[in-house]
Amino acid sequence: MSSKPTLSSILNSSPRSYSSPADNSSCPYVGLKSFENSDRHYFFGRETLSQQLFNNLQAHNFLALVGPLGVGKSSLVQAGVLPYFSSSQEWEIKVIKPREHPLKSLAMTFLDSHLPTLQKAQQMADFQLCLEQGAEGFSHLLQRLSRPKLLLVIDNFEEIFTLSQNAQERWQFLTALLTALDQHPHQLKIITIINEEFISYCLEQKPKKLGQKIKENCILISPLNDQERYDAIVLPAQQANLELESQLVEQLLQDTHHLKGGLALLQYTLWQVCRLRKNVRLTLASYVQLGEVKHVLDKQGTETFYQLNRRQRNTAKKLLLSLIHTREGIGHISNLVPQRKLENLHDFDYVLQKFKQVGFIQTEVGNDLTNQEIFLRLSHPIVIEHWRLLQEWLGQRQSIFRQHQNLEAFAQRWQISKRDKKYLLTSKKLKIAQALEKHQIGFSPLTQEYIQQSSKKQSRNILVYGILPLTLILVLGGLTYRHWQIQKAWQTLELAENNPYDIRRKDAIEKLNFWQINFEEVPLTSTYLKNINLPQANLSNMDFSGTNFENANLVKSDLTNSNFKNANLTNSRLIKSNLSQSNLELTNLTQGDLTEANLFQTNLTFAALNFANLSSANLSQSRLYFANLEDANLLKSKISRSNLSGANLAFSNLMFADLSNSNLASANLVEANLLSTNLTNSNLLGANLIEVKNLDPNNLKQACFWQYAIYKGKWNTQQQEWEIDEMANRQFIEKLIQDKASDPRIQPTCS
């Protein structure tokens, strides 16, 4: 059996450059934009997957494509799958993005483009009314199609929940589509494209039928392998008659290996290299000038920003922040903004053009039928993730927003206490309030009065105590070593506030924790806290999203209801810590020690827990969709009533673990140790149990849908995946079904 091709073999066996150019006017790389159907002749690397998805659509009328940011999901559909349908006379193709009003976005695609504006507006109103009526109205729109069948692609499907605020409109939109799928199984097919970061929201929302539909038809889109990345780099250049230096190809392959968001960053880098070329040759020198793939976007954005003067930078900051919507519990979302709302900013046209030139911002015509309004948006959400300056601005905005909310709450408390002076702001909090006023943050009349009264009290205190001799202040004020240390720590945190990588922050926080001082007001999102020592710390209800806690000591700490989304907790010690009801979505806990930790009702969607120690931990009622628990130690852990659908539990130790009433549908349990594991009422539909250790038939038959799990198969070295042995698997299941001796006395409760 042949082994997987290595990077070296790919480079040695493939042509290194292409000559005899015919036309060098076009760039075959799309930058941060998605490939479209019109770009299909430049789209390479996904041929096999495109064919597989097309074949899948022959058998099913619904597909949910789920993958990480920057993996190329939209390009795969637009330039890989849709060409199979566009050549057919049967299928009409419509692509939508839900935005804030999904019904309106869908109705727009059915409009007659040749109609005058007023008639279009009337038609638009009629179509929206149809969709509000549900499947019957949608069926009426299907009859208006010029072709007998409809392929509907819903890109950025998560916008239905992240941008749309109207629950009724969401319900009408989803109900109409889902019911129409059942009523017109041969006339309608739907592809949904979902960012894996938001898959949990899509699975949990109503109607419940949506979550079931996604689970049954979910296809995970993985990053390109070495050969596919080679094709994506080299073949478009060949198609455009451009030359690629062999050293450039080799360097790009090395720099994008296991790089998060690698495909989007690769396309952007190649687009920039293409812009720098002087002839038909793309060179390593141009790439070196730009910087490494993972830094090109960050470098381009920062250089463009600092090429502007001070007033233009202010415009750029306001422009870019306006294109990002932040929602509590969801995070940062790319937003669509009318250009007219920003045109009064200083040098707006010049600044906009600068960021369009580097590919950060795109314009598109909106669905305002009267004047075809121009909208602005980020070219790709990966700009948010990889441009550090933008992340810093977003962190500042979030910090200001939280402080604003806190001050409004303090003012309410002051009013409830009948304006008791002891509830007025202290010196530090008053400084924050005054700083927010300088930022022109709009406070309520009550909060404005609250700040004024606090300021007056502070002035009186200075007047009273300022005339006392310094020695008397030291005696009466009780300025001890403890007070001095605490004050020094606060001053250090203020100095480090605008630099997420300032190592002084870690020492200051450790001192405050040592003196048992609450530091919940300190903004700690996307900060560097590697090797921090915080045993038994009170860190509940805090926002640590994106923070680096690598090798941190958080033993016995209270971390309840905190946000650790995208945080790095690699090798961290969380023994007996309390993480209940916290958000650990996409958190890296690789090799972490969570012995006896409390993770009750915790969100661990897509979390990395491989090689982690979770022995005797409480994971009951937690969300572990697609979490990576490979080689994890779950000895005696409590995982009852948890959702582990799609989770990777390969090689894990589940001896004496409680998995009762849990959802293990499509979970990977290859070579896991199931000695005395409680599987009562757990859902094993589609679970991979090949080569599991200590599989007890009595225990297995207490689970639900165990006869639909996978037990027999072999490892495919070439494809790097497990293959089911259909015959052996069927024989194994039939033998268990016939073995009445191993039937449990109490049958499982399965619904």
Side-chain angles (χ1 to χ4, degrees):
M1 186 176 291
S2 59
S3 60
K4 183 179 178 181
T6 64
L7 180 59
S8 176
S9 66
I10 291 168
L11 290 167
N12 290 330
S13 64
S14 304
R16 296 198 170 210
S17 64
Y18 301 93
S19 55
S20 303
D23 176 23
N24 68 333
S25 60
S26 62
C27 178
Y29 309 104
V30 296
L32 294 177
K33 298 188 300 179
S34 298
F35 280 89
E36 297 180 357
N37 199 337
S38 57
D39 304 311
R40 61 186 180 276
H41 51 288
Y42 291 139
F43 184 70
F44 293 96
R46 292 292 198 188
E47 292 83 358
T48 301
L49 183 55
S50 298
Q51 180 69 59
Q52 290 173 353
L53 293 177
F54 174 69
N55 293 341
N56 202 309
L57 279 166
Q58 303 307 300
H60 304 88
N61 64 349
F62 181 89
L63 283 186
L65 305 188
V66 180
L69 188 67
V71 80
K73 302 181 293 295
S74 300
S75 295
L76 170 64
V77 173
Q78 296 260 32
V81 178
L82 294 191
Y84 284 101
F85 291 89
S86 58
S87 59
S88 169
Q89 296 301 312
E90 281 192 313
W91 290 95
E92 187 159 328
I93 300 170
K94 296 186 182 297
V95 181
I96 70 163
K97 292 181 179 178
R99 302 301 186 196
E100 292 183 332
H101 300 288
L103 279 179
K104 186 176 182 181
S105 298
L106 181 57
M108 278 290 297
T109 65
F110 287 93
L111 294 181
D112 295 329
S113 57
H114 65 275
L115 289 178
T117 300
L118 290 178
Q119 291 184 28
K120 266 190 188 177
Q122 181 58 52
Q123 195 179 63
M124 180 73 179
D126 293 341
F127 289 175
Q128 280 191 259
L129 187 61
C130 277
L131 292 171
E132 288 171 7
Q133 294 172 357
E136 185 178 347
F138 188 72
S139 298
H140 173 71
L141 294 182
L142 287 176
Q143 294 170 10
R144 295 180 52 84
L145 296 174
S146 58
R147 297 184 180 183
K149 298 178 181 180
L150 172 65
L151 173 61
L152 178 64
V153 178
I154 308 176
D155 201 356
N156 295 349
F157 184 78
E158 65 274 0
E159 288 180 351
I160 297 169
F161 310 108
T162 59
L163 285 182
S164 177
Q165 301 293 305
N166 190 325
Q168 182 181 359
E169 184 178 1
R170 288 201 301 268
W171 176 269
Q172 290 170 337
F173 177 81
L174 293 170
T175 303
L177 293 182
L178 292 171
T179 309
L181 279 172
D182 292 337
Q183 293 180 355
H184 307 279
H186 303 296
Q187 188 183 359
L188 174 64
K189 293 185 186 293
I190 295 177
I191 303 175
T192 60
I193 304 172
I194 307 171
N195 186 344
E196 70 176 16
E197 186 178 353
F198 300 104
I199 185 65
S200 59
Y201 293 97
C202 299
L203 291 172
E204 293 171 358
Q205 298 294 329
K206 294 180 180 180
K208 291 184 178 180
K209 186 178 179 181
L210 171 66
Q212 188 63 32
K213 203 82 171 169
I214 292 173
K215 288 177 186 176
E216 291 173 354
N217 301 276
C218 179
I219 296 178
L220 298 179
I221 308 302
S222 303
L224 299 177
N225 60 34
D226 288 341
Q227 181 64 59
E228 290 168 337
R229 279 185 295 117
Y230 179 89
D231 291 346
I233 295 168
V234 173
L235 298 185
Q238 179 186 23
Q239 189 74 9
N241 292 305
L242 296 175
E243 292 183 20
L244 281 168
E245 283 188 354
S246 59
Q247 297 93 333
L248 171 62
V249 177
E250 185 170 359
Q251 194 63 52
L252 286 171
L253 286 171
Q254 290 177 359
D255 291 350
T256 53
H257 192 62
H258 294 315
L259 177 63
K260 188 177 179 182
L263 186 56
L265 295 174
L266 174 63
Q267 281 290 327
Y268 183 70
T269 301
L270 284 164
W271 179 70
Q272 289 286 10
V273 171
C274 221
R275 292 177 69 212
L276 290 174
R277 79 183 194 274
K278 294 179 180 178
N279 45 43
V280 296
R281 191 170 180 80
L282 276 61
T283 65
L284 179 63
S286 296
Y287 174 57
V288 171
Q289 180 182 337
L290 290 167
E292 195 176 342
V293 170
K294 63 182 177 182
H295 299 308
V296 170
L297 190 151
D298 181 51
K299 184 170 179 277
Q300 286 292 310
T302 304
E303 285 180 355
T304 303
F305 178 76
Y306 283 107
Q307 286 169 1
L308 306 173
N309 63 37
R310 187 166 57 86
R311 291 181 67 186
Q312 289 167 347
R313 288 178 199 169
N314 188 45
T315 295
K317 185 176 179 180
K318 289 180 179 178
L319 165 61
L320 289 156
L321 286 176
S322 72
L323 302 181
I324 303 167
H325 179 63
T326 304
R327 280 187 63 185
E328 196 68 30
I330 293 178
H332 306 304
I333 312 157
S334 182
N335 201 14
L336 198 68
V337 177
Q339 182 172 313
R340 59 179 168 77
K341 289 188 176 181
L342 301 164
E343 287 177 339
N344 62 340
L345 295 173
H346 176 76
D347 281 351
F348 170 78
D349 290 334
Y350 177 78
V351 172
L352 174 62
Q353 192 60 32
K354 279 287 185 182
F355 282 96
K356 285 176 70 176
Q357 285 174 358
V358 292
F360 277 33
I361 296 176
Q362 290 181 7
T363 56
E364 61 181 61
V365 179
N367 52 17
D368 189 327
L369 297 172
T370 57
N371 58 15
Q372 296 293 289
E373 186 168 15
I374 301 298
F375 285 79
L376 305 176
R377 66 176 177 88
L378 289 178
S379 299
H380 198 291
I382 209 162
V383 174
I384 303 171
E385 188 169 315
H386 279 267
W387 188 13
R388 287 176 294 178
L389 186 60
L390 183 57
Q391 290 175 355
E392 184 180 322
W393 297 339
L394 289 167
Q396 291 169 357
R397 186 171 74 175
Q398 274 191 296
S399 176
I400 290 170
F401 177 71
R402 284 196 301 270
Q403 290 167 346
H404 177 272
Q405 285 187 313
N406 289 339
L407 283 167
E408 294 284 357
F410 293 155
Q412 291 287 341
R413 185 179 64 179
W414 175 61
Q415 186 180 42
I416 292 169
S417 70
K418 298 181 180 179
R419 303 187 175 224
D420 191 328
K421 291 181 180 180
K422 71 180 181 181
Y423 288 104
L424 291 173
L425 294 170
T426 58
S427 175
K428 184 177 184 299
K429 290 178 180 177
L430 180 59
K431 286 181 182 178
I432 293 172
Q434 292 167 340
L436 289 175
E437 284 185 317
K438 289 180 181 178
H439 277 88
Q440 298 181 332
I441 301 297
F443 288 116
S444 66
L446 173 64
T447 304
Q448 291 175 13
E449 184 184 357
Y450 177 60
I451 294 170
Q452 290 171 0
Q453 293 300 320
S454 299
S455 182
K456 288 179 181 178
K457 179 189 174 186
Q458 184 71 12
S459 299
R460 287 195 297 270
N461 289 345
I462 293 172
L463 183 65
V464 171
Y465 296 110
I467 59 175
L468 295 175
L470 179 60
T471 53
L472 188 60
I473 292 174
L474 292 174
V475 174
L476 297 179
L479 185 60
T480 63
Y481 174 75
R482 178 180 184 273
H483 295 142
W484 175 72
Q485 286 277 59
I486 293 169
Q487 188 65 28
K488 186 179 177 183
W490 281 117
Q491 290 172 352
T492 301
L493 287 172
E494 287 181 7
L495 291 171
E497 187 171 355
N498 294 322
N499 184 0
Y501 299 103
D502 196 323
I503 59 174
R504 294 175 296 177
R505 179 187 288 101
K506 179 174 75 73
D507 296 331
I509 291 172
E510 286 177 347
K511 285 179 182 177
L512 291 176
N513 184 58
F514 177 79
W515 295 112
Q516 298 182 331
I517 301 299
N518 194 327
F519 49 91
E520 62 180 8
E521 294 179 8
V522 180
L524 294 174
T525 57
S526 300
T527 50
Y528 184 81
L529 297 175
K530 186 176 179 179
N531 298 314
I532 197 166
N533 187 27
L534 291 174
Q536 302 183 48
N538 181 6
L539 302 169
S540 59
N541 299 295
M542 294 188 69
D543 188 358
F544 296 113
S545 54
T547 297
N548 187 350
F549 278 107
E550 189 177 350
N551 299 319
N553 178 8
L554 296 163
V555 174
K556 295 184 179 179
S557 291
D558 183 3
L559 303 158
T560 54
N561 204 34
S562 288
N563 182 16
F564 286 90
K565 187 175 182 179
N566 280 308
N568 181 9
L569 286 150
T570 307
N571 293 309
S572 57
R573 297 178 64 211
L574 290 147
I575 302 165
K576 295 185 178 180
S577 59
N578 189 354
L579 286 145
S580 62
Q581 298 184 328
S582 289
N583 183 12
L584 290 158
E585 186 177 358
L586 292 163
T587 302
N588 188 352
L589 286 149
T590 303
Q591 295 184 330
D593 191 347
L594 294 101
T595 306
E596 296 185 49
N598 183 6
L599 293 136
F600 178 72
Q601 290 187 342
T602 300
N603 181 8
L604 288 152
T605 306
F606 289 102
L609 289 150
N610 41 315
F611 300 99
N613 185 1
L614 290 147
S615 60
S616 300
N618 181 9
L619 289 143
S620 301
Q621 298 184 36
S622 290
R623 285 175 286 174
L624 288 145
Y625 309 117
F626 302 103
N628 185 2
L629 289 145
E630 187 173 351
D631 272 303
N633 181 12
L634 292 151
L635 176 70
K636 296 183 180 179
S637 57
K638 298 176 183 177
I639 325 177
S640 59
R641 299 186 183 278
S642 293
N643 195 332
L644 295 109
S645 57
N648 182 9
L649 291 147
F651 311 104
S652 61
N653 178 9
L654 287 159
M655 292 193 300
F656 302 98
D658 182 5
L659 281 160
S660 59
N661 297 287
S662 287
N663 183 6
L664 287 154
S666 301
N668 180 11
L669 290 122
V670 169
E671 293 195 46
N673 192 339
L674 298 180
L675 179 66
S676 298
T677 305
N678 185 357
L679 294 169
T680 305
N681 295 329
S682 60
N683 179 7
L684 293 175
L685 182 68
N688 189 347
L689 295 161
I690 296 174
E691 302 291 340
V692 291
K693 301 173 185 175
N694 300 306
L695 183 65
D696 182 357
N698 287 284
N699 189 17
L700 177 66
K701 288 190 177 183
Q702 294 182 55
C704 298
F705 313 119
W706 58 268
Q707 62 271 42
Y708 301 107
I710 303 165
Y711 302 93
K712 298 296 178 181
K714 58 184 178 180
W715 176 251
N716 186 322
T717 306
Q718 187 172 2
Q719 298 295 326
Q720 293 292 296
E721 61 183 17
W722 286 93
E723 288 184 347
I724 183 173
D725 186 334
E726 297 284 358
M727 183 176 293
N729 194 62
R730 186 166 59 253
Q731 290 173 350
F732 179 83
I733 293 169
E734 287 175 354
K735 183 178 178 181
L736 282 178
I737 292 172
Q738 294 168 7
D739 184 7
K740 303 300 180 183
S742 66
D743 288 351
R745 294 180 181 178
I746 301 175
Q747 293 297 318
T749 306
C750 302
S751 58

